[in-house]
Amino acid sequence: MAQAEDAVQPLLRQFHQLFFISKIAGILPQDLEKFRSRNLLEKSRNGMIYMLCTLILYVVLYNILMYSIGEEDRTLKASQSTLTFVIGLFLTYIGLIMMASDQLTALRNQGRIGELYERIRLVDERLYKEGCVMDNSTIGRRIRIMLIMTVIFELSILLSTYVKLVSAIPTFINTLDKIWFAVSLYALKERFEAINATLEELVDTHEKHKLWLQGNQEVPPPLDSSQPPQYDSNLEYLYKELGGMDIGFIGKSSVSGSGKNKVAPVAHSMNSFGEAIDAASRKPPPPPLATNMVHESELGNAAKVEEKLNNLCQVHDEICEIGKALNELWSYPILSLMAYGFLIFTAQLYFLYCATQYQSIPSLFRSAKNPFITVIALSYTSGKCVYLIYLSWKTSQASKRTGISLHKCGVVADDNLLYEIVNHLSLKLLNHSVDFSACGFFTLDMETLYGVSGGITSYLIILIQFNLAAQQAKEAIQTFNSLNDTAGLVGAATDMDNISSTLHDFVTTTMTPAG
């Protein structure tokens, strides 16, 4: 047990950089000293206070920013349709709601997160006993790559829109929180794949063992000098001519060591026509396999391999339970992220259309004025959603593939006892499948991604149609008002003409003498 603990590296050792950044940003309330010294996530009262203070500070600064740039949005309300203004106002605060859900969820689950990673460490120890050594160095590299990409995307969008730094805080905090979920999910996927690789290795080893046994059966057994040579009955006449004895006498004399003729012909040295067989034309026996190529198969002994298969399936069940706990911890943040991604992606494309029509757009969506920056913003937002959906789907597929690998063991071994063991364990695996969802509303798989893509397209078309209708109504109102103004001017001119005519008639009538 102590050897396994020394050989297994804790997964949280790869999270040091991410933990320090998350701690400074106010995402995690866990104790800093205990994590630095023992790689443990434990509750901290000071961390809770610091996290609540940062949340309040972010909300105040964000509202101050919205008030400072609100003059432009009030101008937008006066110049553009109410639809564009309402969409901009709602999406302005959905990022703040998403950030608050991330921080409050982390505050509520601060004790359970530490237990989750402790369970993963115990799983690594059990896998080590079965010959599976987990390499967590790839997880450290993934964390560093994700952090670098986050900084690049945030700075690119911030500098291109000329908005203050406070506007980037909600998306930055959300990205850090989702890195924790994504990396933990990837770690579970690696452990499922390690179990599958171990089962596949059992299958490959048994297949090589069977090939080795077949190769040994093709090799002729070595001649034993203590046994009499075997002779072909079809060559009996030839044996009599060569030795002057019948076959039965040859066998007896060879055993007793007596007889007149001591020359024993080599079996099958001549064919049935009495012609000598050329040694060069004979098939050389296959070379014996080297001793290091001999594969001892564990599947050859069902009673022996039963314990190993039981242990692997128990570890598989534990990883599934950890996956369900992980999904429960991040269920609300994932739901808020998916809602944010759907709305922001649709709104960004809608405001890009508005920019192409030379219409005013909200201040926080200035990136829509530049198609290149729009692509960067959409890639950043959609990349988080798509990657989490894809990773959840791949992890679920890896957990279900264990049953297929287990059945391969039963097929290649072709043993009734092993078949019974495999069927029993397969039933257990079937009852412990893991799927990831957003609070149960929808499953995180490729089918959901396809449905979201269709929804974005449909709503984008509806918004453009509403925008066109609003612009046409606005133009109609402007045309009507201009016509009214024109009609008023024409009416006033007509009245002036009538007054002038009446005055002219009166003057003419008055000044003309009576005849």
Side-chain angles (χ1 to χ4, degrees):
M1 185 69 180
Q3 183 180 1
E5 292 180 357
D6 295 337
V8 174
Q9 296 182 356
L11 179 63
L12 285 176
R13 185 176 297 178
Q14 307 296 329
F15 284 74
H16 276 229
Q17 296 175 347
L18 180 61
F19 179 82
F20 293 146
I21 297 176
S22 301
K23 187 68 178 177
I24 295 173
I27 301 175
L28 296 179
Q30 281 78 10
D31 189 86
L32 178 61
E33 289 298 326
K34 292 182 180 179
F35 181 83
R36 181 184 299 173
S37 59
R38 300 167 53 192
N39 294 317
L40 294 176
L41 294 176
E42 296 187 2
K43 293 182 180 180
S44 173
R45 180 176 299 179
N46 295 332
M48 292 174 56
I49 297 174
Y50 176 77
M51 187 174 179
L52 290 175
C53 292
T54 55
L55 176 60
I56 296 172
L57 179 64
Y58 293 155
V59 172
V60 171
L61 292 177
Y62 196 83
N63 282 278
I64 292 175
L65 174 64
M66 294 300 102
Y67 181 79
S68 63
I69 62 177
E71 185 64 31
E72 298 181 9
D73 293 336
R74 285 189 287 271
T75 305
L76 172 68
K77 182 180 180 181
S79 61
Q80 294 297 324
S81 63
T82 306
L83 176 65
T84 303
F85 175 76
V86 171
I87 292 175
L89 182 64
F90 176 72
L91 295 180
T92 297
Y93 284 95
I94 191 174
L96 195 64
I97 296 173
M98 178 182 62
M99 180 195 70
S101 67
D102 293 337
Q103 291 185 290
L104 293 177
T105 302
L107 191 64
R108 179 174 64 93
N109 299 326
Q110 58 175 319
R112 301 174 61 187
I113 294 177
E115 297 176 358
L116 183 75
Y117 289 103
E118 179 63 21
R119 293 172 66 181
I120 295 177
R121 187 187 65 82
L122 295 177
V123 164
D124 290 346
E125 292 181 1
R126 296 174 65 179
L127 287 175
Y128 177 79
K129 294 178 182 179
E130 301 301 328
C132 303
V133 181
M134 302 305 305
D135 183 16
N136 294 324
S137 59
T138 57
I139 293 179
R141 289 194 296 269
R142 280 178 171 266
I143 292 176
R144 288 188 289 271
I145 292 174
M146 290 180 182
L147 290 175
I148 293 173
M149 292 180 63
T150 300
V151 173
I152 291 175
F153 276 114
E154 290 287 353
L155 289 179
S156 300
I157 298 173
L158 187 65
L159 295 177
S160 62
T161 54
Y162 302 104
V163 183
K164 296 181 180 179
L165 183 64
V166 181
S167 63
I169 290 178
T171 54
F172 179 71
I173 289 180
N174 176 261
T175 304
L176 291 179
D177 181 73
K178 297 310 173 290
I179 290 177
W180 278 90
F181 175 76
V183 174
S184 304
L185 191 60
Y186 178 78
L188 296 185
K189 184 177 77 73
E190 277 196 332
R191 278 139 186 85
F192 281 128
E193 292 177 347
I195 295 176
N196 298 339
T198 303
L199 295 175
E200 295 288 345
E201 185 179 357
L202 289 176
V203 174
D204 293 340
T205 303
H206 191 73
E207 288 180 345
K208 292 177 181 179
H209 181 68
K210 291 170 64 176
L211 291 176
W212 178 77
L213 291 178
Q214 293 175 2
N216 278 352
Q217 290 174 1
E218 295 176 359
V219 178
L223 294 177
D224 190 356
S225 58
S226 63
Q227 298 293 333
Q230 302 295 325
Y231 297 97
D232 193 348
S233 60
N234 295 328
L235 303 179
E236 182 178 355
Y237 72 96
L238 186 58
Y239 297 151
K240 290 181 180 180
E241 291 183 3
L242 290 175
M245 295 183 178
D246 58 3
I247 298 177
F249 184 77
I250 293 174
K252 293 178 182 178
S253 62
S254 63
V255 175
S256 60
S258 62
K260 296 178 182 179
N261 193 353
K262 298 293 183 179
V263 179
V266 180
H268 299 285
S269 59
M270 295 184 181
N271 57 20
S272 58
F273 298 99
E275 300 172 350
I277 299 176
D278 189 8
S281 64
R282 297 179 186 173
K283 260 189 180 179
L289 294 175
T291 55
N292 58 355
M293 293 296 292
V294 178
H295 298 273
E296 184 66 26
S297 174
E298 296 183 61
L299 296 178
N301 188 347
K304 180 180 178 181
V305 78
E306 181 179 4
E307 182 181 0
K308 185 179 185 67
L309 295 180
N310 275 323
N311 292 337
L312 290 177
C313 289
Q314 289 175 5
V315 175
H316 182 276
D317 295 344
E318 178 63 18
I319 299 175
C320 290
E321 294 299 325
I322 294 174
K324 294 177 182 179
L326 180 68
N327 186 24
E328 184 180 355
L329 292 179
W330 268 276
S331 57
Y332 291 104
I334 290 176
L335 180 62
S336 63
L337 172 65
M338 296 302 164
Y340 173 82
F342 177 81
L343 295 174
I344 290 296
F345 199 96
T346 306
Q348 190 77 17
L349 292 177
Y350 170 70
F351 289 130
L352 176 63
Y353 165 78
C354 294
T356 57
Q357 302 299 315
Y358 302 102
Q359 301 175 13
S360 300
I361 58 177
S363 304
L364 288 181
F365 291 91
R366 291 175 181 173
S367 58
K369 296 180 180 180
N370 189 336
F372 178 73
I373 302 300
T374 300
V375 171
I376 295 178
L378 293 181
S379 300
Y380 180 49
T381 303
S382 62
K384 293 186 289 186
C385 300
V386 171
Y387 181 68
L388 291 182
I389 291 176
Y390 174 78
L391 195 58
S392 301
W393 174 68
K394 292 293 290 184
T395 305
S396 179
Q397 292 294 316
S399 68
K400 296 174 182 177
R401 197 176 298 117
T402 306
I404 300 175
S405 302
L406 187 61
H407 270 282
K408 287 182 180 180
C409 295
V411 171
V412 74
D414 196 14
D415 182 82
N416 291 332
L417 179 58
L418 190 59
Y419 268 129
E420 295 179 1
I421 297 172
V422 167
N423 290 332
H424 174 68
L425 295 177
S426 298
L427 185 61
K428 293 176 63 177
L429 292 179
L430 183 63
N431 294 327
H432 286 84
S433 60
V434 57
D435 290 307
F436 299 91
S437 65
C439 293
F441 286 99
F442 52 86
T443 305
L444 300 179
D445 54 11
M446 304 309 289
E447 184 178 356
T448 300
L449 184 61
Y450 175 77
V452 170
S453 302
I456 290 175
T457 304
S458 301
Y459 280 100
L460 180 61
I461 293 174
I462 293 173
L463 288 175
I464 292 176
Q465 289 176 345
F466 273 111
N467 183 270
L468 289 174
Q471 294 301 318
Q472 291 174 359
K474 184 177 179 180
E475 292 176 359
I477 292 174
Q478 291 177 352
T479 303
F480 180 76
N481 292 333
S482 63
L483 289 177
N484 285 338
D485 294 341
T486 303
L489 292 175
V490 172
T494 304
D495 293 340
M496 291 297 294
D497 290 341
N498 293 334
I499 293 173
S500 300
S501 300
T502 303
L503 182 62
H504 179 269
D505 293 340
F506 175 76
V507 172
T508 304
T509 304
T510 304
M511 299 299 296
T512 302

